[in-house]
Amino acid sequence: MTRWQQTLEVAHWEFTRFVKWKQQLIGLAVVLAIGIGSGFVGRMAAQAKRKPVPVAAVGAERLEFALPDAAPVAWDSTEAWTEHSARAAVENGRLKGLLLVREARDVELVLRDRAAWTDALARRLVETRQATLLARLAATTPDGAALVSPLDVRTQYTAADDGSDDDATRVAAFVILFIGATLILGGFGTMFAGITGEKQQRVTEQLVAIVPPQVWMDGKIIGLAAAAVVGTALTASAVFAVFRLLPFLFGRPQFSLPPIASAWGTLALVLVITLLGVAMWFAFMAAIAASIDDPNSSTRTLLLFAPMAPLGVALALTERADTGIAQALSLFPLTATAVLPTRLVLTTVPWWEVAASLAFLLGAVWLFRRAAGKIFGLAILTYGKEPSLREMLRWIRQA
């Protein structure tokens, strides 16, 4: 049996160990049922009618606008309220609130108990006042209409326009990144169970005598990554199906993105970068898991959250995608998986930066894979003490 055949055999064994199609399909059905059920409950909650809330207004004539509709508030005009009578009605529960207007800008809301509708009422009053004043300004001053009119700013590129919709491309790219992050998070459990579990049970050392550690680790990375891909794909399919079914069931228009036209090239590049990032981080997690003696007490498990850091960096650079630090981080393999796709959809990236970033990512995949194999081969035979960082670096240099 060749080395590649051994690798695929290990990968197949790891894949079938964690992917049980019956359980996966049952889980998919459960996710669909929960999603559809949540949609029905949400629709019922949205359609639930709240009882009108009687609120009196004293001094409303001092306002610069008419009292707005602010459901569930119902302005009570059954009698000529005074401040004294309205306060008494609030205390005995006949009224739920009193809007007391002392001056145009001095408004007080009197309540007996806390209520959920008060913030919405305050926002509605502020919005109505602003709209009234702007309309009055537009009608009474020569430049008032121009003041309230929006400024139409269009963007034109001197290079050939690809006909794509920027917003749609950005949404699609960030969806790919999110799926990649979900895939990495979903692989944490399988990677830990597939490596640390065998080490604790002292099973693998019987196999490394006949299968090279690097082959064993390569097979684990491929098999466990494939298992995570299946789980993520089924979850994404369930979420997609829920978002497609709910509008159909409720008779509402389905959500759709504008056409992205020839931006498929950018999205394909984002997909390649995401896949390389997934491979790199899986090899990184395999190296960390191979050095852990007891996952229940090891502090190294915190390192497995390192793949989430690049996403935070990318979010922080969304408005600074063309800065020098963004360029540097898009070349550094550990952050390039999130920063480079962000730059691709927000600004123009020179071709050489993309090529260099891909080359560095490929090098990082190879390096982490070799490190994982070497650490696994030596750490699998040690018990009771986790290898130090200096020891692991020495093992890698000797690989």
Side-chain angles (χ1 to χ4, degrees):
M1 184 178 291
T2 65
R3 185 185 184 92
W4 180 243
Q5 289 175 328
Q6 289 179 332
T7 301
L8 292 181
E9 191 67 27
V10 175
H12 179 264
W13 181 75
E14 292 287 354
F15 179 81
T16 55
R17 186 156 68 107
F18 288 96
V19 176
K20 309 297 182 183
W21 289 109
K22 181 179 180 181
Q23 286 80 355
Q24 296 281 356
L25 293 176
I26 292 175
L28 178 62
V30 170
V31 171
L32 285 173
I34 293 176
I36 295 175
S38 300
F40 275 108
V41 173
R43 184 185 183 188
M44 293 173 60
Q47 293 179 345
K49 295 183 178 180
R50 298 183 60 179
K51 295 181 179 180
V53 178
V55 177
V58 176
E61 66 278 359
R62 301 187 182 97
L63 292 173
E64 299 166 321
F65 55 90
L67 291 174
D69 293 331
V73 172
W75 301 110
D76 191 295
S77 58
T78 56
E79 60 181 89
W81 294 103
T82 63
E83 180 179 352
H84 178 74
S85 62
R87 284 182 178 274
V90 170
E91 287 296 328
N92 61 34
R94 179 181 173 186
L95 292 175
K96 294 298 183 181
L98 163 63
L99 185 70
L100 184 59
V101 183
R102 303 186 187 279
E103 295 180 4
R105 297 184 181 181
D106 185 5
V107 181
E108 182 180 1
L109 184 60
V110 181
L111 304 172
R112 178 181 177 182
D113 302 306
R114 297 180 63 182
W117 49 267
T118 55
D119 291 339
L121 174 60
R123 287 195 301 269
R124 189 75 179 94
L125 290 170
V126 172
E127 293 169 356
T128 304
R129 178 178 182 273
Q130 290 176 343
T132 302
L133 293 178
L134 286 175
R136 187 180 304 167
L137 180 64
T140 56
T141 61
D143 295 331
L147 180 64
V148 299
S149 299
L151 180 64
D152 185 15
V153 179
R154 296 181 299 274
T155 302
Q156 183 181 14
Y157 301 102
T158 57
D161 189 5
D162 61 3
S164 62
D165 184 273
D166 288 342
D167 292 337
T169 304
R170 292 173 186 177
V171 171
F174 285 121
V175 166
I176 294 174
L177 283 177
F178 176 77
I179 293 176
T182 304
L183 176 58
I184 294 173
L185 285 175
F188 281 178
T190 54
M191 186 65 69
F192 254 43
I195 295 178
T196 61
E198 293 176 353
K199 183 176 180 180
Q200 288 182 304
Q201 296 172 4
R202 302 191 177 186
V203 175
T204 311
E205 65 266 27
Q206 301 175 20
L207 297 175
V208 295
I210 57 176
V211 178
Q214 188 64 61
V215 171
W216 190 252
M217 180 55 66
D218 289 344
K220 280 183 172 293
I221 293 174
I222 294 174
L224 297 175
V229 167
V230 170
T232 303
L234 289 176
T235 302
S237 299
V239 173
F240 177 79
V242 168
F243 275 96
R244 298 292 290 182
L245 283 174
L246 288 181
F248 175 77
L249 293 175
F250 297 155
R252 296 180 178 178
Q254 293 183 341
F255 172 78
S256 61
L257 283 173
I260 56 178
S262 54
W264 288 111
T266 300
L267 295 181
L269 187 56
V270 172
L271 179 61
V272 170
I273 296 170
T274 301
L275 292 177
L276 286 176
V278 169
M280 179 190 69
W281 284 115
F282 263 87
F284 172 83
M285 289 189 292
I288 297 299
S291 69
I292 294 176
D293 187 66
D294 184 3
N296 297 317
S297 58
S298 177
T299 59
R300 293 182 183 177
T301 55
L302 298 176
L303 292 175
L304 298 182
F305 292 96
M308 298 300 103
L311 292 177
V313 173
L315 291 176
L317 292 174
T318 51
E319 296 184 359
R320 300 172 179 84
D322 53 354
T323 59
I325 187 172
Q327 290 177 312
L329 292 176
S330 65
L331 294 173
F332 184 55
L334 297 183
T335 54
T337 54
V339 176
L340 182 57
T342 301
R343 294 187 63 219
L344 285 172
V345 298
L346 294 179
T347 186
T348 301
V349 183
W351 68 268
W352 65 267
E353 289 188 21
V354 178
S357 181
L358 291 175
F360 291 151
L361 273 174
L362 286 171
V365 172
W366 181 87
L367 177 63
F368 282 136
R369 165 189 162 271
R370 290 286 296 169
K374 191 63 178 180
I375 294 173
F376 179 75
L378 295 175
I380 199 69
L381 302 176
T382 62
Y383 298 95
K385 177 183 177 296
E386 295 179 349
S388 64
L389 178 60
R390 180 178 298 180
E391 290 174 327
M392 290 189 292
L393 291 176
R394 186 177 70 250
W395 295 347
I396 295 171
R397 287 197 301 268
Q398 296 173 354

